[in-house]
Amino acid sequence: MIETSRIARPLTGEEVRLVAERHFPGQKIARFTALKGGLFNNTVRIDFENAGSVVLRAGPVRPDLLLPFELHLMAAEAEVDRLCAAAGVPCSEVLALDTDKTLLGRDYMVVRCIDSLPLCDPAVPAEAKPALYREVGRLTAQFHRITGPAFGRVYDVTHENGCAAWADALLREFSELRECLLSAHVMEAAALDEIGAAFAENRALFAVEKPALIHTDLWEGNILVRQNAESWEVAAIIDGDRAYFGDPDYDFATPWMINPDFLAGYGETPADTPARRKKLLFYRLLCCLTEAYIWPVEYQNEQAGLEKQQEVASCLREIQSM
C-alpha cells in the first residue's frame, strides 16, 4: 500500500548499507528484508552474518505534511523506551538514533530484533490470548506508574516545553491540529471552533494531578509476544512514539485492547461515571480529529478521512447531549 502514502519511501540497499557501516562497522550483511507496513515509517530487518539481527526504521520524507508532534516521533520513542526499560516494562532496545538527517535525509533508528510475533498474528493461538491480555493490562498499569515533570507530548516535556496542566496540553494539541486542518482545507473553521469551545467549557474534566506516561496507541499490532517452553508471554510493548505525559484514562478511550482480561490484569480503574464517560469521548474525539488529517493529507485516503470526520461529529453530539 505504500503507493498511497505521500510521506513514505522504501529504504534502498545503499541506504541500508550506509546505516550498517556507520553503526556496525566491520559487520557483513547477509540479507535485509522489508517488513510489513510502511505508510508512515519504512522498516527493514537486517541480518548480519556473525552479529545477529537488527531492525532499521526510517521516518517520513515529507516533513512539510506532518503534524507538529509527528516531527519528533523517533526521539520521543527512544525516550519512552528508556523510561520503560528503567521501570521493568519490556520494550525495544534502541541501538542507534539519528535525527540530524545527514545520512538518509530523514530520521532513523535501529533497534535490536526481538524474536516474536505481534499479538494480532494468526499464529498466536486464541486460547493463549486471555493470559496475554491480562499480562498487557498489568504492564500497562506499570507503564502508567511512570511519571514526568510536566504534561504534554513526551518530546515536548523532555525539551522543557511541557504544560503545567493537562487541560493546557490538550488545548495546545487541539490548536495545532486546528491550524493544520484549516491549512489543508480538510475541515471548516466553524466546526473546529465548536469543538474548541466544547473543550474549553469542559476544562474541569481534565483535572489530573500527576503527569503519567500514556501510550495512546495500544493495539495488538504494538504488542509483541513469543512462546516459551510452556506458554506464551509478552516480549515487548512497542511504538510508544506518540506517547504523552498525561491522564492514564486516555489509554481507555480507544477500544482496541480493552476487554475483561485486560482490565483484570490492569487492576483498579476509575469508577464508570457520566463525567468519566464524557472525558473518554473527548479523548476519542481528539484521536479521530488527528486521523481526519492524517488519512487524506498523509495517506491520500479521502474516504477514511471523511469517516473520521463523521466520528468526530458523532462524539461531539454525544458530548453535547450529556
Side-chain angles (χ1 to χ4, degrees), residues 3-296:
E3 66 273 7
T4 69
S5 177
R6 299 175 68 194
I7 61 174
R9 178 176 57 77
L11 286 155
T12 66
E14 176 63 12
E15 288 174 324
V16 172
R17 183 189 66 78
L18 287 171
V19 171
E21 285 184 353
R22 172 183 281 190
H23 300 289
F24 307 95
Q27 298 298 333
K28 187 174 181 180
I29 297 175
R31 70 187 65 82
F32 71 91
T33 310
L35 302 181
K36 292 179 181 179
L39 289 179
F40 191 87
N41 295 313
N42 295 109
T43 308
V44 299
R45 171 178 171 146
I46 306 173
D47 297 307
F48 294 107
E49 287 190 351
N50 300 303
S53 302
V54 300
V55 173
L56 163 63
R57 188 160 77 251
V61 295
R62 291 285 307 273
D64 56 303
L65 296 179
L66 301 181
L67 293 167
F69 77 88
E70 293 181 309
L71 293 169
H72 307 291
L73 292 184
M74 288 195 179
E77 181 171 354
E79 176 63 11
V80 170
D81 288 337
R82 185 189 70 80
L83 292 169
C84 285
V89 177
C91 59
S92 297
E93 180 185 353
V94 179
L95 303 175
L97 171 68
D98 189 304
T99 59
D100 65 15
K101 301 176 178 61
T102 57
L103 189 68
L104 303 184
R106 51 178 165 164
D107 294 351
Y108 70 85
M109 68 190 309
V110 182
V111 300
R112 194 174 304 281
C113 188
I114 300 173
D115 185 16
S116 60
L117 296 170
L119 185 54
C120 58
D121 195 292
V124 181
E127 60 269 22
K129 285 198 169 185
L132 288 169
Y133 264 80
R134 288 192 293 273
E135 180 65 1
V136 175
R138 185 189 71 78
L139 291 170
T140 300
Q142 200 167 325
F143 194 99
H144 288 166
R145 285 193 286 272
I146 301 168
T147 58
F151 293 94
R153 295 283 182 180
V154 166
Y155 181 88
D156 291 334
V157 171
T158 56
H159 288 75
E160 300 183 353
N161 192 30
C163 296
W166 175 229
D168 291 334
L170 291 173
L171 287 169
R172 182 166 73 182
E173 179 99 354
F174 170 75
S175 178
E176 292 175 349
L177 260 174
R178 180 186 184 279
E179 292 308 308
C180 291
L181 287 160
L182 288 175
S183 296
H185 306 289
V186 172
M187 291 182 67
E188 298 293 331
L192 292 166
D193 289 345
E194 189 176 7
I195 295 168
F199 265 106
E201 290 167 7
N202 288 275
R203 181 185 176 92
L205 290 175
F206 312 112
V208 177
E209 292 184 6
K210 293 181 180 180
L213 186 63
I214 52 178
H215 190 283
T216 79
D217 195 19
L218 285 175
W219 70 289
E220 287 191 348
N222 285 339
I223 309 298
L224 300 184
V225 300
R226 61 190 168 204
Q227 189 174 20
N228 57 31
E230 298 180 356
S231 62
W232 287 77
E233 64 182 7
V234 175
I237 297 177
I238 63 170
D239 287 2
D241 51 1
R242 297 169 184 268
Y244 281 108
F245 285 111
D247 180 6
D249 252 352
Y250 199 106
D251 278 334
F252 291 87
T254 51
W256 308 310
M257 289 296 296
I258 310 304
N259 65 24
D261 290 307
F262 177 93
L263 294 172
Y266 186 89
E268 186 176 358
T269 57
D272 180 22
T273 63
R276 185 185 186 225
R277 290 196 293 273
K278 191 175 189 180
K279 179 179 66 170
L280 294 181
L281 277 169
F282 269 111
Y283 294 157
R284 182 64 187 148
L285 185 155
L286 191 61
C287 290
C288 292
L289 199 63
T290 303
E291 293 186 35
Y293 174 89
I294 288 171
W295 279 111

